[in-house]
Amino acid sequence: SAHMEGDDHIGPVVSLRQYERIQHYIQLGIDEGATLVAGGLGRPENLKNADGFYVRPTVFANCKSNMTIMQEEIFGPVMCITPFDTESEALEMANDNPYGLANYVQTRNLQRRRRLGRLLQSGMIDMNDAWGDFGSPFGGVRDSGWGRESGMYGLEEFCIIKAVTGFDELEDDIDEDDIVDDDVDDDDDEEETQSIA
């Protein structure tokens, strides 16, 4: 199995290519001056010989907004932590990157949850570890992609929306039986019928 027994584990990443990509980001975090708090390069000690591309869960602190690990999507078990003093500062940092898949907010203040839900620029916002229901739309904004999967919005991705105007009945409308199609030549039709017979 790709997973360890029990609930406290992180499975492997999908491929060697993804593993190497995550290692590159961890090295960039170190090179750009973030404080490595846990994890780092390589595989977890207890999984060095296991099948699968396991990555050490990594935590960086004192990250700055201009660091690559704060500006790009890593898609691996890497967390970047940076301090803030005010809600506006946190909001500015959260929105200051080209991506916008998801935001996670922890607060016991209802007004703050509602305010941040409106102001954070992402496709999904999870408050206090609450999970969306299976019909909730999944997707991001900006470089995290457009469109949605799941729910009604996901189904709409497979629909073609068409705008048609002029459906209302007009006073001078012609009945369909009175319409003559100028493109049809009766003589041509007769000749074609004879040649087929």
Side-chain angles (χ1 to χ4, degrees):
S1 169
H3 299 285
M4 304 298 291
E5 290 185 18
D7 295 330
D8 297 330
H9 72 275
I10 295 178
V13 296
V14 70
S15 66
L16 175 61
R17 180 178 178 189
Q18 183 61 18
Y19 172 85
E20 290 172 344
R21 183 176 185 273
I22 296 165
Q23 297 302 304
H24 172 72
Y25 278 112
I26 292 171
Q27 186 62 59
L28 279 174
I30 295 166
D31 294 345
E32 292 180 359
T35 304
L36 182 63
V37 175
L41 295 167
R43 296 165 60 94
E45 288 297 322
N46 63 327
L47 296 170
K48 284 208 181 284
N49 298 316
D51 290 336
F53 302 103
Y54 288 90
V55 175
R56 293 175 72 187
T58 298
V59 178
F60 285 109
N62 302 315
C63 300
K64 307 243 181 313
S65 288
N66 62 348
M67 291 180 174
T68 307
I69 57 174
M70 290 284 282
Q71 287 294 316
E72 298 185 12
E73 292 178 318
I74 299 173
F75 290 112
V78 179
M79 178 180 281
C80 304
I81 301 172
T82 189
F84 60 90
D85 293 318
T86 66
E87 180 182 307
S88 333
E89 188 183 354
L91 186 62
E92 185 179 343
M93 283 191 290
N95 290 336
D96 181 28
N97 68 71
Y99 296 97
L101 183 58
N103 290 112
Y104 302 90
V105 176
Q106 298 290 324
T107 178
R108 293 179 65 188
N109 183 307
L110 175 62
Q111 289 76 24
R112 177 171 285 165
R113 285 196 303 272
R114 290 180 175 170
R115 187 170 50 249
L116 291 175
R118 287 190 313 272
L119 298 173
L120 285 165
Q121 298 169 7
S122 66
M124 300 171 291
I125 301 167
D126 294 334
M127 304 281 187
N128 298 335
D129 294 325
W131 286 90
D133 118 341
F134 288 115
S136 296
F138 174 91
V141 297
R142 299 189 303 265
D143 288 352
S144 288
W146 295 98
R148 294 294 176 266
E149 299 172 17
S150 303
M152 286 303 298
Y153 292 103
L155 292 174
E156 286 177 3
E157 292 294 314
F158 296 94
C159 297
I160 297 172
I161 299 170
K162 182 188 297 185
V164 180
T165 58
F167 265 164
D168 295 337
E169 186 175 347
L170 302 174
E171 291 180 20
D172 59 346
D173 276 346
I174 301 171
D175 187 81
E176 193 169 292
D177 294 334
D178 296 333
I179 297 175
V180 176
D181 191 342
D182 293 334
D183 291 337
V184 176
D185 186 338
D186 291 337
D187 293 337
D188 288 347
D189 283 350
E190 189 176 330
E191 284 178 18
E192 187 176 332
T193 304
Q194 289 174 352
S195 64
I196 291 173

